[in-house]
Amino acid sequence: MDFQESLESINYLAVIVAALSAFLIGGVWYSVLFAKSWMTENGFSDEDLRKGNMGKIFGGSLLLSFIISFVLVVFLVI
């Protein structure tokens, strides 16, 4: 199987679901479950977090989740 056939055999819906699930699990992990302890360990305050560009932060995180999911499936398929 060559590289082109490998790319055609990828289930892209599974890549999208994996990326979204990683993004959502990370959101729950760092907000609902361990927000206070995470902020304490990293020395952040509520004011520090309000200063950040949330669109850039969450958009970058979602983009990186897609990249990680795609690279993982490429390693598994090829």
Side-chain angles (χ1 to χ4, degrees), residues 46-64:
D46 287 331
E47 184 63 32
D48 293 333
L49 296 180
R50 284 190 200 104
K51 291 179 186 176
N53 184 347
M54 290 302 154
K56 195 180 227 183
I57 292 169
F58 287 119
S61 177
L62 183 60
L63 176 67
L64 291 174

Side-chain angles (χ1 to χ4, degrees), residues 7-66:
L7 287 179
E8 291 173 0
S9 68
I10 291 175
N11 184 352
Y12 291 101
L13 180 61
V15 172
I16 292 170
V17 169
L20 291 176
S21 68
F23 180 75
L24 291 174
I25 290 170
V28 170
W29 187 268
Y30 288 109
S31 65
V32 177
L33 297 178
F34 299 107
K36 296 294 181 193
S37 58
W38 174 77
M39 287 172 50
T40 303
E41 290 296 320
N42 288 296
F44 294 142
S45 66
D46 287 331
E47 184 63 32
D48 293 333
L49 296 180
R50 284 190 200 104
K51 291 179 186 176
N53 184 347
M54 290 302 154
K56 195 180 227 183
I57 292 169
F58 287 119
S61 177
L62 183 60
L63 176 67
L64 291 174
S65 292
F66 278 111

